[in-house]
Amino acid sequence: MATAHSSLLCFLLCFSYLSVSFSKTLFMPLIHSLSKTHFSSTHHLLKTTSDRSATRFRHQHRQQSRQGQVSLPLSPGSDYTLSFILNSHPPQSISVYLDTGSDLVWFPCQPFECILCEGKAPETNSSTPKISSSAKTVPCKSSACSAAHSKMPTSDLCAIANCPLESIETSDCRSFSCPPFYYAYGDGSLIARLYHDSVTLPLAAPPLVLHNFTFGCAHSALAEPVGVAGFGRGVLSLPAQLASFSPQLGNQFSYCLVSHSFDSDRVRRPSPLILGRYSEKERRVDASVKPDFVYTEMLDNPKHPYFYSVGLESISIGKKNIPAPELLKRVHGDGSGGVVVDSGTTFTMLPAKLYNSIVTEFDSRVSRFYERAIGIEDKTGLGPCYYYDKVVSVPGVALHFVGNGSSVALPRRNYFYEFLDGGDGVGKKRNVGCLMLMNGGDEKELSGGPGATLGNYQQQGFEVVYDLEKGRVGFARRQCASLWDSLNQN
């Protein structure tokens, strides 16, 4: 682990010579965390991923019914990581998941204990960062402390931090640090303390150094062994902190996820993460091709203000248009509804009625020609699945968002995964393909939370733009690996 850790730090530092202007735009690599060594077969990989997507989505709604629970973000990103350098003595490289469904930047700190993390975390935490003397604890009067504690009043925070009554009454609690806070995701949680320190974001020239960067240092967690860079709409998120340094960097970000189809050989190329606005010329991989973005409005969620929610009008299967329920077209006052564009969930989750309508239409077109693979559906958690010989024909799938002409046709590989069953040495080898959308449950079970999530698997091969200034999300088909090369050349 120590050798791998040193190699990562060298990778980050060596890349810092690239000529990028951080006053307007910063480019960073996202690395896919897929490792086939963690899975015994393709079935195991797909089943683990589908179960994780369902657990995150459904657990989010179950939390809402618990008395006294605050609204929770979605679970942290499980697929794509970004890295930065903590400017301690010596400097330490930190890899964290990109997560647009939460609003906190945190990572494990030594000593670190993770409960129910078997198979998720390395057996040794020798690479776990140490907080150095350069890090300063955040005072309890800080707005950052209030944000971490769900906007708890400063006087309460100071009392929790054992600030004397006289100091509380005179509003002089600056010398008392923010007490530890509890932060819960859809399928895990942690206790952390807030710190300020200097961090460096690589791939900027000169390297972009953020002083007084606020982050959570966790010594204990439940099922969350890896840190998270929250990109949601909150004051502690990475974009919000960038905006305080440079509004041009924080008012827009985008990413372009390299299509991997669960093939570790295809995810060695980085996926570009773009912070800030960049010119149309820089966007062009081919000088003759202008990227065609489709935008839809962001919807505010009063109960989950960190979500990037959008409205979904319908989904088409071939030429058949299937209307979305009202739940997905808008967000209601109790926080219900809308579709969350989420980098942290792998597969798209849909309400049961809409999902079943899609499956019925899809199956009516495909099962006439191909054998249904029921056994594969049980093993992978996906469906419907079909056996085929050489080439399989499936109808197209398109998402129609609220707004004039806001339609996005998904590439086939984004919704239909083809693999070789028995290719792991078990049974006769047969080609099989599965629909990659999932059932999120009945509408009545989705109260208080998002009606659906648009997962990162369905976002592959698109540049997804989060335009905070104009309040919109945009999609454009891209060759993401080529975009990374083009951006660095520019």
Side-chain angles (χ1 to χ4, degrees):
M1 287 299 297
T3 301
H5 185 69
S6 299
S7 299
L8 176 60
L9 181 58
C10 178
F11 170 81
L12 297 176
L13 292 174
C14 291
F15 257 119
S16 65
Y17 72 89
L18 292 174
S19 179
V20 181
S21 171
F22 64 76
S23 62
K24 293 182 179 179
T25 314
L26 176 66
F27 310 125
M28 298 178 65
L30 295 175
I31 307 300
H32 196 279
S33 60
L34 173 68
S35 173
K36 286 189 174 180
T37 60
H38 296 161
F39 305 101
S40 59
S41 65
T42 301
H43 300 145
H44 181 205
L45 187 157
L46 292 174
K47 180 62 173 174
T48 300
T49 305
S50 61
D51 284 349
R52 190 175 59 209
S53 297
T55 299
R56 289 174 178 168
F57 182 70
R58 292 168 182 164
H59 196 78
Q60 159 71 23
H61 298 85
R62 287 199 296 271
Q63 291 281 4
Q64 305 309 313
S65 62
R66 300 183 185 179
Q67 187 174 4
Q69 279 279 359
V70 297
S71 60
L72 303 181
L74 297 174
S75 295
S78 60
D79 295 312
Y80 295 89
T81 62
L82 61 96
S83 299
F84 60 88
I85 297 170
L86 183 64
N87 296 331
S88 54
H89 305 289
Q92 301 172 85
S93 61
I94 313 290
S95 291
V96 289
Y97 288 129
L98 169 70
D99 181 28
T100 59
S102 64
D103 63 347
L104 175 71
V105 180
W106 74 272
F107 50 84
C109 299
Q110 291 191 29
F112 179 66
E113 177 189 20
C114 193
I115 305 167
L116 298 180
C117 287
E118 293 78 5
K120 291 185 176 182
E123 294 183 3
T124 175
N125 66 356
S126 60
S127 62
T128 303
K130 296 180 179 179
I131 290 297
S132 71
S133 58
S134 63
K136 305 299 181 184
T137 54
V138 173
C140 64
K141 286 190 65 176
S142 167
S143 59
C145 185
S146 296
H149 286 270
S150 301
K151 303 190 184 304
M152 184 179 288
T154 299
S155 57
D156 290 348
L157 292 173
C158 290
I160 294 172
N162 294 318
C163 184
L165 179 59
E166 181 181 358
S167 296
I168 296 176
E169 295 295 340
T170 58
S171 300
D172 187 19
C173 293
R174 285 186 291 267
S175 60
F176 288 81
S177 61
C178 183
F181 62 92
Y182 170 77
Y183 196 87
Y185 293 101
D187 62 354
S189 59
L190 59 122
I191 292 177
R193 186 181 288 275
L194 280 186
Y195 287 90
H196 291 314
D197 205 349
S198 170
V199 301
T200 298
L201 299 182
L203 302 185
L208 175 58
V209 179
L210 298 176
H211 298 286
N212 292 319
F213 186 80
T214 303
F215 59 88
C217 168
H219 295 291
S220 60
L222 172 66
E224 300 296 349
V226 181
V228 174
F231 269 65
R233 304 165 79 180
V235 297
L236 297 180
S237 72
L238 196 147
Q241 295 198 60
L242 275 177
S244 65
F245 170 82
S246 169
Q248 296 153 314
L249 281 177
N251 61 18
Q252 178 175 297
F253 68 90
S254 65
Y255 50 71
C256 196
L257 305 180
V258 174
S259 299
H260 60 77
S261 297
F262 297 103
D263 185 345
S264 58
D265 292 334
R266 297 184 61 185
V267 295
R268 292 176 180 172
R269 299 291 297 279
S271 299
L273 169 65
I274 303 150
L275 303 168
R277 297 183 182 275
Y278 64 115
S279 69
E280 182 179 298
K281 180 180 179 181
E282 290 174 306
R283 287 182 184 272
R284 297 190 181 190
V285 174
D286 183 332
S288 63
V289 179
K290 177 182 178 181
D292 187 15
F293 278 88
V294 171
Y295 290 97
T296 186
E297 179 186 2
M298 286 182 190
L299 305 177
D300 293 328
N301 189 317
K303 299 295 184 181
H304 309 278
Y306 32 78
F307 283 165
Y308 296 106
S309 299
V310 298
L312 184 68
E313 194 73 42
S314 63
I315 297 178
S316 58
I317 306 297
K319 295 183 179 180
K320 174 72 172 181
N321 192 56
I322 302 174
E326 288 299 316
L327 178 70
L328 302 190
K329 297 179 181 180
R330 58 185 58 86
V331 175
H332 301 283
D334 65 351
S336 299
V339 179
V340 175
V341 185
D342 182 36
S343 67
T345 300
T346 305
F347 298 138
T348 292
M349 308 294 300
L350 299 170
K353 186 176 180 180
L354 176 60
Y355 171 80
N356 291 334
S357 297
I358 290 170
V359 167
T360 298
E361 181 65 26
F362 192 88
D363 186 59
S364 69
R365 294 168 179 259
V366 180
S367 61
R368 291 179 292 176
F369 307 103
Y370 306 100
E371 176 190 353
R372 187 81 175 255
I374 302 296
I376 299 298
E377 296 172 11
D378 295 337
K379 292 178 181 179
T380 62
L382 299 171
C385 299
Y386 307 90
Y387 290 115
Y388 64 95
D389 293 326
K390 294 182 180 180
V391 179
V392 62
S393 177
V394 296
V397 175
L399 309 177
H400 307 286
F401 296 103
V402 172
N404 296 330
S406 301
S407 297
V408 175
L410 296 179
R412 172 180 164 136
R413 62 175 176 264
N414 284 32
Y415 65 89
F416 194 74
Y417 178 50
E418 301 167 59
F419 61 100
L420 189 63
D421 179 42
D424 304 296
V426 180
K428 179 183 176 182
K429 295 182 179 180
R430 299 186 68 181
N431 294 314
V432 64
C434 297
L435 183 67
M436 305 293 275
L437 305 175
M438 293 191 65
N439 186 344
D442 294 331
E443 285 190 36
K444 62 183 179 181
E445 300 173 356
L446 304 181
S447 62
T453 58
L454 179 61
N456 64 52
Y457 196 87
Q458 280 66 49
Q459 298 177 43
Q460 291 178 128
F462 287 91
E463 183 180 353
V464 183
V465 175
Y466 298 77
D467 190 335
L468 307 179
E469 187 176 34
K470 296 183 178 180
R472 60 183 186 171
V473 179
F475 304 86
R477 285 289 302 272
R478 303 288 254 161
Q479 296 291 331
C480 297
S482 298
L483 175 61
W484 169 257
D485 294 338
S486 176
L487 291 171
N488 286 324
Q489 289 172 2
N490 288 334

